[in-house]
Amino acid sequence: VQLQASGGGLVQAGGSLRLSCAASGRAFNSHAMGWFRQAPGKELEFVAAINWSGGSTVYGDSVKGRFTISRDYAKNTMYLQMNTLKPDDTAVYYCAAGLSPSKYSRVYNSWGQGTQVTVSS
């Protein structure tokens, strides 16, 4: 499955953004999907994941209660709604597809190109 992430931008602390990840092909319906992020000089960090049916989600500790992952099967698109953004959320955000909604990046076999999110203080 091919993935295209979008929706990043510059926002003030406390603001919101919604990221999108458009998937090509019918395989979207059978894949778990996830979001990861990488800030300059830091390792790739798990953000959120959702299983193939949309019935199960998991979040990284740093975003719990602020971010919401969802998916729209009619549009073959996954979303990440980000609220109450903090400067520490500044990073390049990547979407990924895999066989299970894992926090481990090695589980995912398809990756989007990334979208930059910058949160100013």
Side-chain angles (χ1 to χ4, degrees):
V1 59
Q2 292 184 326
L3 305 174
Q4 179 78 31
S6 62
L10 174 64
V11 63
Q12 289 188 333
S16 298
L17 277 176
R18 189 177 78 159
L19 304 183
S20 299
C21 178
S24 64
R26 299 175 63 182
F28 175 81
N29 292 349
S30 61
H31 277 67
M33 303 288 291
W35 288 99
F36 290 78
R37 68 186 183 185
Q38 189 166 28
K42 294 188 177 181
E43 294 184 350
L44 192 66
E45 178 188 9
F46 170 72
V47 176
I50 188 167
N51 73 334
W52 68 273
S53 70
S56 177
T57 58
V58 60
Y59 295 92
D61 290 341
S62 62
V63 306
K64 281 181 182 176
R66 299 189 298 122
F67 291 11
T68 302
I69 190 171
S70 62
R71 60 193 302 169
D72 184 332
Y73 296 91
K75 296 181 178 180
N76 269 20
T77 300
M78 173 182 63
Y79 302 100
L80 184 69
Q81 178 65 45
M82 306 186 294
N83 298 329
T84 319
L85 283 160
K86 305 174 181 179
D88 284 349
D89 294 318
T90 295
V92 177
Y93 284 70
Y94 298 92
C95 59
L99 296 180
S100 64
S102 173
K103 63 180 181 178
Y104 298 106
S105 60
R106 62 178 180 270
V107 170
Y108 299 85
N109 48 31
S110 296
W111 291 80
Q113 86 289 1
T115 184
Q116 175 71 46
V117 172
T118 303
V119 184
S120 63
S121 58

